[in-house]
Every structure is written in C-alpha cells, then in structure tokens.
C-alpha cells in the first residue's frame, strides 16, 4: 500500500508530550496499542480525534486501525468527561436490587441523563455492567470510591457530599 | 501497609493478638479502609501489643466489614459489620480485657454461632487462602505451602506426569464450557513449536459474578503458581494474565505478586536451577464482554479489536500470534497447585461422576448471605441457597436462580433439587457458567430479566455475525414491547424462532448462547409472558408501564405524605381526607408507595 501523504502542518502539529512519552515507553512491544490508548487516556482524560491521529503517526499504524480499536472497547472515550466519573452498576444483581431507581435518583439530582456531564462539569454519569461487588448491590463508584447497599436517598446524598 | 511478619519483627515480644481486616473490593466498599485507619489509632492510643494485617475476601460479603482477631494460640474470632464506632468497645473488651464481644461475633473457635451454617457445607480448595493470608505478601503464601506444588512439579515430575495428574483429577475448565483441563494441556503439549504461550482468562464478563475478582485479589500467587505449572506441562515460556478493566485492585496485587515472585527467582530464567524459564505479563482489558471468548481475548492481547475467530484451529494449535497457546480460567488455574500437592485422586474423590472437585459460586440478588462460597460438586441448588446462603431476603418466596449470566438461564424454584454438576445444570437449559448465581424472589419479573440479558448481549455483540448482531436486536425490541404492554399474539413464537436461528448461525459462544435467558424463561414462566401480552399485567409488579397505583380510601388517613413526594403532582385531596391519584398524570414512579406508612396504596 502506498504511504499516505503527510497531512498539512497546521493539522499535524507536534504530538502531545503525553502521547510521545507513552508511545516511547512501549516502543518495540508487540500489540501495545490498547495499552497505549489506556495510558494516554489516563493522562489526557479522553481520546480526541487529534490524539488518535498523533498516536497513529507515532506508532506508524493507520488512523483507521487506532480509531477502530478505540471505538470497539467501552473504556475509551472520544469526548471529554467531567471532573469526576460516576458509574452506576446495572449488572444482574444490581438490576434485580433496584439499580434503575438509583440511576433515576441521580439523574434527578444532577439533572443529566445517562452518559452526560453536569453543567458545571463536575460529574459524568454512566451506567456500567457489574463492578464486581454484587453482594453489596446496588452499587456505584465515584472515581475509585465504591458505594454499596445504596438506596435512592443514600445515592443522592453521596453525590451531594462528594 | 506493613505485613504481619514485619510488624512482628519490629516489636520486641510476640504480640498478644493479631488483628486482620478484610480488604477485598467488597470490604473496601463497605468501609474497610476507614475501619483499618480507626483501628490503627485505637491501638496506638491503647499502647497494646497488637499486630495489624490485612487480607482478601473470605466470602462473607453480607457481613462486611469483617475483622479477624487471632490470639497467641492462633485461635480465631471473626467480627462482622464492623464500623469505626464499634472499635473502642472491641479494643477495650477483647484486646485489652480478653473478653470477646459476643454481640458482634460471627465466627469463633469455641462456640456455635448462627453463621456457622455458612461454612458447614463448603469445601475450600480454590478459596483456601482467601481471607486467611495477606495477599500482598509472598512470604505469607510461601509459609503455607505456597509454590511447593511448583517445586514438586519441576523437581520430581515430568511434564507428562503433571498432565496425567491433572487428567486423573477430572478437573474441567471453570470458565464456562467445562472442557477437561488435562486434555487441553495435552493438546498444547503435542503441538510442536519453539514458542508457546499460556494465558489466564480473568475477563469475568458475567455481570453479577465476582469469583475471579476475589481469587485474583485474595490469592494472586495461587493463580500464578497454576499458570507456571501449566507452562511447564505444555512447554511454554511466556504467559499473560488478562484482567478485566473494572478490577484495579486485582491488577495492583498481581503486579506486586509478579515483582515479588521475580525477586524470589520464581519467575524469569532458569527457575530454581531447573532450566525452566517463564515470564509473566498483565494485560488489562478495555471493556468488552466478547473478549472473554478465547479467540477474541487473544486478538485483544495482540492490540486488535476483539473479534472472535472460527475454530478450528484451536488455540492449542494456533493461538496468540499464531503460536500454540493454552488458555484457562482463573479458577481453573487456582485448583492446580492443590491437585499437584494432594494428588489427582484426592480431587476426583469429591463431586459426581463427571464433575469433580469443588466449584466457587458468587451468591447475589435477593439472598440473605450474599457472598462467595465454594461447595463440592454434587450439592443441590437448594442446599446452596437455603443452607449455605441462608434463604431469601425478607422471608419472601424463592422464584428462580439465574446461573451462567448472559449465556445461561433461570432455574425455577421447582427445580431447586437440581444437582450441581455440568450435565445436570445444562439439562435445565441453564449452564454451570463461571459461577454467578443471582437469586430472584417473587418481585422479579422474568420477562424483564430476559429483556435485561438481551439488552446486554445485543450491546456486546461484536457485530461479525448477522443473526447475532441484528437478531438479538429484534428479540430485544419484542421483549421491550412486551414489558411495555404492547405485546401481541404470536410474539412468543417469534422469539422462539429468532432464538433458534441465532443459535445455529453464530460463530462464537456469545451468539450461540445469547437466546438462553429468553428460552429458559419462556420454558418455565410462559404464563408470565402471557399475562403481559394478553392481560397487560405484570404478575411480579415490576414492569412500570403495566402497573396501576390506587389509594385505598378506607386506609388513607389523609396525612398528605404521598401528595408531597409525588414528582408529577398527580395526588390530590384535603388534609385528613382520603386522597386520589389522577391516573392520566401518574408516571408510576412508586414514590408514594415508599412514603405511605399506612399501606394505603394498592399496586396492581
Ligand atoms: C461470550 C463469551 C464470554 C466468555 N467469557 C469468559 C470469561 O469471562 N471468563 C472465562 O474464563 N471464560 C470465558 N469464556 C470462555 C472462554 O472462551 C474459554 O472457554 C475459557 O477461558 C477456557 O478456560 P477453561 O477451560 O479453564 O474454562 C467466554 C466465552 C464466550 C463465548
Ligand atoms: S451486578 Fe452490580 S456489582 Fe455486580
């Protein structure tokens, strides 16, 4: 396949230092793309179109391949997120224990829908399938803090107090 | 955290007590870190000679936070539901006054307690160290036979003898399908190649299960030892631990375990001078259920989209990067060291004719004792739910238990005497699966459960096979409409037809099994589907659109509590007079029922 023509300078820009650093760390490792995406996202919060292009160039992979992987896995975000990530579990155990009501309460409290970010940019609300604490259902996580045995009221309180 | 051994070294004399806090993910979620911090303060203040340590999950998640007190003789007292507020009394009475606090004890060596029945029928092989040792200390593991099985295998057994032992044990894969582990190893051994891999599948995709998480967090070295033995048996020198993205604590503990094992020369080149080399790496998943499927998992390790491939060739012939690869589940590997140390025959002595050993289950849902249990194969579903699990929450009626997650099905209460063994469970239409057991009572709607799983598989389908991609979507639409009261005559038949087509025309297990939750609920709860479709009623009172809320005038005292909480202001009435709900405006949120103290709202 013929190599694609380099993009005009304005679009290309220099790669973000975070991208450079992460790609350099995994240089020569087979199959490092997912790890690279994970580490870059951890640094930058999300993967913008520009970031994806920079990664593709730095790793010498087609941008379509990088984009394909980034969209396949739910962990990768292509849009910026709020300061804190609020993940409400909708796994089986949480579902039968009233996860729907927890999400409803949080949506009312924060005035956002699933996958949305609050106006002040403080929280992004998400549903996930199982956080592995099923015996404490219903469960949610705010960043790395886990909250178990929730009620709509305690969920609202956790959001207020955080 | 300092390990117990280090703390011991620092103090001049042997501590009077060793106090261990359970810090698995569930313990932490219940407030384990707060209890630990408060405990440190209390001990410091009291100037007692007490050693502190941490451990993984013992399985009694329903009693978290758990705290173990060991006396000098090694006797154990376990306390449940601990909070920082409870610590001063515990320290004063037990650690200083030597009188155990009876009110909070859940387990003690010298007295019978109600929670004893949680352990009575368990047989702990995989979980034998979980909640006992410090998972962050390789020394703790090695002090208790850790890596002895590896020594035995490397120094006294040939790879063929190792495989024979595993074959004799009758161990079958715990990841779901139940393929005999020894045979899988033999295939990989027979594949000639200068490069081979072993992989540990820690993707644990079943939403409602947490066995593998607890084992990885609670006893990481045991899983690694199993992988090392497998690598020796098949002739591999490199391995991957593939762990789900949602399990950061497991990843952290595995990283530490690998570092420690390297330092001890248990990983790397020429292990224990035997000429055996093995390197181990961790790969974190990135959130895709289908990556639990072995060929998709390998694509994911290779950095690609996790799309399953047609088998054969099986991984044993052509796996990771085209090389012969052995892939097993976390729990499968966690059985291996016990089998090598105790012999395949000892393992095979447990269980039924075709399912040997023990199986770990994650109990969740409407069960009194939600947690992690390990029981011998051959026990009945009833025994697990009622004797080990303590029955149904709130004394409600047991309706069904979901086994096998999105690939499995619901076993109804009427079949509770089903024996736990691969073949008996499969006969019900469910599958043994990886060990998730979500217990449901009479408030759970079976059509909604089927809808829930289809929603999951439909989202997680990788899209490669048409019937899996589009068929599951069509099934979901039908189920959606049934739960909304828009079901029509013929919907059940249409679901059955689609289910059949999806099963036969999907490449991987995801599509082949996706219809199972629908098929089993239709098989055992067809009347519930019909009630939704024909009478537009949800017998479990769970499907929102099919409910009516009415105030029973005779019972209503006119306290106005319901009217104040109603988000759509559809409840009207004067103070101290019966209220009325405007059916046209009611959004069926149920807030009024929760608020009413007089049981005056009827849901039908
Ligand atoms: C859709 C799908 C999801 C799977 N998820 C898992 C999983 O989360 N964990 C697992 O160990 N096996 C899973 N499996 C089974 C694996 O493909 C494979 O059979 C297993 O890892 C083999 O290990 P075992 O022989 O020790 O059971 C899944 C299979 C399918 C089809
Ligand atoms: S189902 Fe919610 S934590 Fe597992």
């Amino acid at each position: 396949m013929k190599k694609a023509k380099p993009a005009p300078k304005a679009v290309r820009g220099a790669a973000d230092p975070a991208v450079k650093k992460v790609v350099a760390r995994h240089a020569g490792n087979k199959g490092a793309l997912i790890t690279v995406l994970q580490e870059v996202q951890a640094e930058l919060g999300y993967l913008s179109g520009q970031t994806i292009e920079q990664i593709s160039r730095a790793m010498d992979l087609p941008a379509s391949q990088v984009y394909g992987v980034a969209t396949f896995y739910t962990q990768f975000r292509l849009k910026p997120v709020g300061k804190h990530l609020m993940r409400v579990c909708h796994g089986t155990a949480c579902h039968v224990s009233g996860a729907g009501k927890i999400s409803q309460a949080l949506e009312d409290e924060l005035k956002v829908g699933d996958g949305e970010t609050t106006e002040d940019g403080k929280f992004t609300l998400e549903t996930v399938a199982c956080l592995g604490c099923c015996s404490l259902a219903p469960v949610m996580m705010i960043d790395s803090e886990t909250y178990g045995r929730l009620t709509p009221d305690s969920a609202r309180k956790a959001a207020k107090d955080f | 955290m300092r390990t117990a051994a280090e703390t011991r070294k620092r103090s001049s004399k042997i501590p009077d007590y060793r106090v261990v806090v359970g810090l698995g993910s569930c313990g932490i979620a219940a407030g384990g870190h707060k209890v630990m911090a408060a405990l440190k303060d209390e001990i410091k203040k009291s100037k007692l000679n007490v050693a502190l340590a941490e451990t993984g999950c013992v399985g009694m998640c329903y009693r978290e936070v758990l705290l173990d007190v060991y006396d000098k003789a090694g006797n154990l007292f376990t306390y449940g539901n601990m909070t920082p507020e409870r610590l001063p009394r515990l320290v004063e009475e037990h650690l200083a006054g030597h009188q155990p606090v009876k009110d909070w004890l859940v387990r003690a060596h010298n007295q019978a307690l109600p929670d004893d029945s949680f352990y009575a029928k368990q047989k702990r092989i995989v979980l034998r160290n979980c909640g006992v040792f410090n998972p962050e200390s390789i020394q703790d593991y090695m002090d208790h036979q850790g890596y002895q099985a590896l020594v035995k295998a490397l120094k006294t057994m040939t790879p063929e003898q190792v495989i024979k032992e595993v074959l004799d044990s009758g161990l079958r894969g715990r990841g779901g399908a139940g393929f005999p582990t020894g045979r899988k190893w033999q295939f990989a051994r027979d594949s000639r190649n200068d490069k081979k891999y072993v992989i540990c599948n820690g993707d644990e995709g079943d939403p409602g299960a947490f066995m593998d998480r607890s084992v990885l967090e609670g006893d990481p070295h045991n899983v690694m030892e199993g992988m090392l033995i497998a690598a020796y048996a098949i002739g591999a020198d490199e391995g991957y631990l593939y762990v789900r993205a949602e399990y950061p604590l497991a990843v952290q503990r595995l990283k530490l375990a690998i570092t420690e094992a390297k330092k001890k020369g248990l990983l790397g080149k020429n292990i224990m001078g035997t000429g055996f080399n093995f390197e181990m790496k961790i790969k974190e998943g990135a959130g895709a259920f289908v990556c639990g499927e072995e060929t998709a998992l390998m694509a994911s390790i290779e950095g690609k989209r996790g799309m399953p491939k047609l088998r054969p060739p099986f991984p044993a012939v052509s796996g990771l990067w085209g090389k012969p690869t052995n892939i097993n589940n976390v729990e499968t590997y966690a059985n291996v060291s016990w089998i090598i140390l105790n012999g395949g025959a000892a393992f095979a002595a447990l269980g039924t004719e075709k399912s040997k050993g023990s199986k770990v289950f994650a109990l969740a849902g409407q069960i009194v004792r939600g947690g992690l249990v390990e029981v011998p194969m051959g026990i009945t579903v009833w025994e697990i739910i009622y004797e080990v699990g303590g029955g149904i929450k709130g004394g409600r009626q047991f309706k069904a238990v979901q086994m096998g997650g999105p690939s499995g099905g619901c076993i109804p209460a009427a079949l509770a005497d089903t024996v736990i063994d691969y073949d008996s469970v499969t006969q019900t239409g469910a599958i043994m699966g990886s060990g998730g057991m979500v217990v449901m009572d009479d408030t759970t709607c079976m059509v909604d459960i089927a809808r829930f799983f289809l929603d999951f598989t439909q989202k997680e389908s990788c899209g490669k096979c048409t019937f899996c991609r589009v068929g599951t979507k069509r099934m979901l639409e039908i189920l959606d409409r049934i739960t909304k009261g828009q079901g029509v005559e013929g919907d059940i038949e249409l679901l059955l037809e689609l289910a059949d087509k999806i099963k036969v025309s999907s490449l991987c297990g995801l599509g082949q099994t996706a219809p199972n939750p629908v098929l089993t609920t239709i098989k055992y709860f067809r009347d519930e589907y019909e009630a939704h479709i024909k009478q537009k009623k949800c017998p479990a009172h769970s499907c929102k659109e099919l409910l009516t809320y009415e105030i029973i005038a005779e019972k209503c005292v006119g306290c106005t509590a319901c009217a104040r909480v109603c988000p759509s202001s559809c409840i009207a009435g004067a103070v101290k007079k019966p209220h009325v709900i405007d059916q046209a405006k009611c959004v069926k949120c149920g807030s009024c029922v929760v608020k009413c103290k007089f049981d005056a709202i009827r849901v039908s």
Side-chain angles (χ1 to χ4, degrees), chain B residues 46 83 181 202 265 288 356 366 412 496 586:
Chain B
S46 67
T83 56
T181 306
K356 303 297 187 190
Q366 314 301 349
L496 292 172
C586 175

Side-chain angles (χ1 to χ4, degrees), chain B residues 195-502:
Chain B
K195 183 80 191 173
K196 293 182 192 175
Y197 293 96
V198 291
I199 297 176
C200 173
N201 188 342
D203 199 45
E204 191 149 68
D206 174 1
F210 51 96
M211 303 75 49
D212 297 348
R213 172 184 68 72
S214 300
V215 175
L216 290 172
E217 284 176 8
D219 199 10
H221 287 288
N222 189 21
V223 179
M224 285 161 49
E225 189 174 0
M227 284 177 77
L228 274 155
I229 293 168
Y232 172 67
I234 72 160
D237 65 355
E238 200 175 333
Y240 283 93
L241 278 149
Y242 190 92
V243 187
R244 212 172 155 232
E246 286 84 354
Y247 293 172
L249 185 62
V251 170
Q252 182 196 320
R253 290 200 172 144
L254 282 168
K255 278 188 183 153
L256 183 71
I258 290 178
T259 312
E260 290 206 290
K262 273 190 191 150
K263 274 194 217 146
K264 297 258 178 208
L266 295 163
L267 283 175
K269 292 251 176 300
N270 192 18
I271 294 168
M272 290 184 285
T274 58
F276 170 60
N277 308 323
F278 193 66
E279 297 290 346
M280 203 179 287
K281 294 195 185 100
I282 300 172
K283 273 276 172 177
E284 287 180 60
F289 171 66
V290 73
C291 285
E293 197 278 335
E294 54 194 29
T295 60
L297 186 148
M298 291 186 292
S300 179
I301 293 181
E302 292 172 6
K304 302 184 195 143
R305 286 163 71 91
M307 306 277 244
K309 281 197 261 209
L310 199 61
R311 295 173 309 179
F314 285 94
V317 175
S318 169
L320 190 61
W321 285 300
K323 303 291 180 192
T325 302
N326 179 69
I327 175 163
N328 281 122
N329 166 263
V330 170
E331 189 184 329
T332 312
Y333 284 124
N335 276 299
V336 171
S337 64
W338 192 94
I339 291 170
I340 296 298
L341 283 177
N342 298 277
F347 192 83
L350 288 166
T352 63
E353 195 197 330
K354 287 188 181 156
S355 304
K356 303 297 187 190
S358 59
K359 177 79 196 84
V360 180
F361 288 102
L363 302 181
Q366 314 301 349
I367 189 158
V368 172
R369 295 173 181 161
L372 205 65
V373 302
E374 183 173 353
V375 288
M377 296 275 192
I379 193 171
T380 65
V381 169
W382 194 90
E383 285 172 289
I384 296 181
I385 292 175
Y386 280 91
E387 294 185 21
V388 180
I392 309 299
K393 265 187 199 162
R396 296 197 75 100
Q397 206 184 334
F398 170 39
K399 184 167 180 180
V401 55
Q402 212 285 340
M403 280 181 72
S407 306
C410 289
I411 299 179
L415 294 183
D417 55 1
T418 302
V419 164
I420 295 296
D421 107 343
Y422 287 93
D423 311 283
S424 316
V425 176
T426 306
Q427 255 177 23
T428 68
I431 58 164
M432 178 83 99
S434 55
M437 270 199 178
V438 180
V439 178
M440 298 161 190
D441 66 13
D442 52 353
T443 63
T444 310
C445 169
M446 290 299 145
V447 187
D448 175 64
I449 284 297
R451 199 203 64 82
F452 167 81
F453 280 114
L454 251 286
D455 180 45
F456 180 85
T457 34
Q458 182 267 133
K459 282 184 193 142
E460 295 292 343
S461 166
C462 79
K464 190 165 179 169
C465 308
T466 314
F467 264 99
C468 177
R469 181 180 72 241
V470 188
T472 53
K473 198 163 175 57
R474 292 292 98 86
M475 283 181 86
L476 175 62
E477 285 163 5
I478 299 170
L479 290 164
D480 244 340
R481 128 173 138 224
I482 297 177
T483 54
K484 290 202 171 109
Q486 295 153 7
V488 293
E489 204 75 46
D491 271 352
I492 297 180
E493 290 68 26
L494 198 52
L495 282 172
L496 292 172
E497 190 188 333
L498 275 167
D500 186 50
K501 299 251 156 70
I502 295 169

